Amino acid sequence: MNKRTALRLMACAGAMAGLPLRRAMAQAGDFPSKPIRWVVPYPAGGGSDFLARVAAQVMSADLKQPVVVDNKPGANGAIAVADLMRSPPDGYTLINIDNGILVFNAALYQKLGYDPERDLQLVTLLVKGPMFLAVGPASTAKDAREFFAQVRAQPGKFAFASAGAGTPQHLSMELIKKQAGLDMTHIPYKGSSPALSDLAGGQVLAAVTDYAAAGGFFKSGKLRALAVNDSVRHPSMPDVPTLRELGIEGAEAPTMVGVAVRSGTPVGLVNTLQQAVRRAILSPEVRRRYGEFGIQPVGNTPEEFQTLIRGEVKRWHPLIKNLNIRLD
């Protein structure tokens, strides 16, 4: 082989090696050329659904393609993840993911059906925020201390609602129960909306909920917030004390809701989606809508989101084992 032939072969090899990158860049440049579907693992009307729908409206206008929210509730997010896995890794199917899907489920189920690290490519974190211990008309307690005293006085008598077994709302209440010495029965629902409706109707005593789902109930007086599970008070409800202020240490459990796509989605498309979602949630319109419910958008990078989740796994998996909670 002469020198000229060798150089030609090397040039061809370099061109072939660069094809995947160029294809990914071309795909990202053409994206999107059709509607995007945004899967939400909970029913319409809940906090996760609200976050997606508000952002999807702005994204649709920005990308000049419809971004359609598709609710797939059930099995603590596994149904929604299975739906995502049936879709091609082309960036046209997004999914809302939270602590339950990304962190808790792997510790709660022996046979989960998906691997968060293997099957999901994180795009960005929409929001991170505290949750509230809330009560409805079934509770006569005027504040959190009286609530704790009443529940401790009658172990096992009272029930609390959650958005579903293994959800952030459920695990947060289990942590409060452990740290505050409470004995209550768990009643799981298929999403925050039906859980809070029954709480407001007096069918259950309490629930832990995020402000996106419960803000309207708080404002109308149908529900009362007794405590916030954060290290600081919430700006939208400054009169509500933190659990730490009430002497309940180690019960902070912020909820996180982000966006992911199926693993295998080209990096260029993931970055394009991250930028599109970030533009949407940091827009004045979404900031205003989120702000009405005391929510601050994040919009971090996929790498920053992954680092955050890995830290949560290290924190929560030993806690779940210690709480002895299994869902299979």
Side-chain angles (χ1 to χ4, degrees):
M1 181 186 298
N2 60 37
K3 185 175 180 181
R4 182 175 296 178
T5 302
L7 288 172
R8 284 177 181 171
L9 288 173
M10 289 173 65
C12 287
M16 291 296 291
L19 274 177
L21 177 60
R22 289 202 298 274
R23 283 173 183 161
M25 290 173 67
Q27 281 180 299
D30 297 337
F31 182 88
S33 59
K34 62 181 181 179
I36 294 172
R37 190 167 63 98
W38 192 328
V39 178
V40 173
Y42 302 104
S48 184
D49 178 74
F50 165 79
L51 294 171
R53 289 183 187 276
V54 170
Q57 281 186 317
V58 176
M59 276 183 67
S60 295
D62 179 33
L63 298 176
K64 297 179 174 55
Q65 288 288 347
V67 180
V68 182
V69 174
D70 189 5
N71 299 88
K72 298 288 183 181
N76 201 22
I79 289 174
V81 174
D83 181 271
L84 174 74
M85 298 307 295
R86 289 191 292 270
S87 303
D90 58 5
Y92 285 96
T93 304
L94 311 178
I95 185 172
N96 257 22
I97 35 82
D98 58 19
N99 317 49
I101 292 172
L102 291 174
V103 179
F104 303 150
N105 284 359
L108 294 168
Y109 296 92
Q110 287 185 334
K111 297 180 180 179
L112 183 56
Y114 71 92
D115 184 311
E117 284 259 5
R118 182 193 65 213
D119 297 330
L120 297 174
Q121 169 61 56
L122 303 186
V123 175
T124 190
L125 182 64
L126 292 177
V127 297
K128 178 183 179 183
M131 291 189 284
F132 294 85
L133 173 61
V135 295
S139 174
T140 60
K142 66 179 183 297
D143 57 30
R145 286 191 173 89
E146 188 173 338
F147 170 82
F148 293 143
Q150 289 177 351
V151 174
R152 290 180 187 128
Q154 301 181 77
K157 177 181 177 180
F158 301 109
F160 72 92
S162 83
T167 58
Q169 293 85 349
H170 171 210
L171 270 296
S172 179
M173 188 65 190
E174 292 289 354
L175 188 56
I176 291 171
K177 282 172 54 184
K178 179 179 182 291
Q179 299 303 98
L182 308 179
D183 181 358
M184 300 179 72
T185 302
H186 175 219
I187 301 180
Y189 288 76
K190 290 184 177 180
S192 291
S193 185
L196 295 179
S197 293
D198 270 11
L199 181 62
Q203 281 87 347
V204 289
L205 186 72
V208 167
T209 179
D210 56 278
Y211 198 90
F217 288 94
F218 292 147
K219 290 175 182 177
S220 68
K222 293 179 180 178
L223 297 179
R224 292 179 291 125
L226 299 182
V228 59
N229 69 349
D230 199 7
S231 58
V232 295
R233 295 194 180 198
H234 196 277
S236 295
M237 304 186 75
D239 295 332
V240 178
T242 67
L243 288 167
R244 183 174 294 177
E245 288 177 81
L246 298 167
I248 311 299
E249 295 285 346
E252 290 85 359
T255 183
M256 292 182 285
V257 179
V259 180
V261 291
R262 181 179 169 182
S263 286
T265 302
V267 173
L269 295 183
V270 173
N271 291 335
T272 296
L273 285 168
Q274 188 270 338
Q275 291 161 17
V277 174
R278 179 180 171 84
R279 284 196 303 271
I281 64 175
L282 296 183
S283 69
E285 171 63 13
V286 176
R287 280 184 178 275
R288 181 185 66 79
R289 295 289 304 281
Y290 282 10
E292 290 172 355
F293 291 92
I295 301 167
Q296 294 297 319
V298 180
N300 58 4
T301 66
E303 294 76 20
E304 289 168 337
F305 193 7
Q306 187 66 66
T307 298
L308 178 64
I309 292 303
R310 285 175 179 159
E312 286 293 290
V313 168
K314 289 181 181 178
R315 178 195 177 207
W316 276 99
H317 280 206
L319 277 171
I320 290 170
K321 183 177 180 181
N322 182 257
L323 290 168
N324 196 30
I325 301 173
R326 300 292 303 182
L327 297 180
D328 57 6

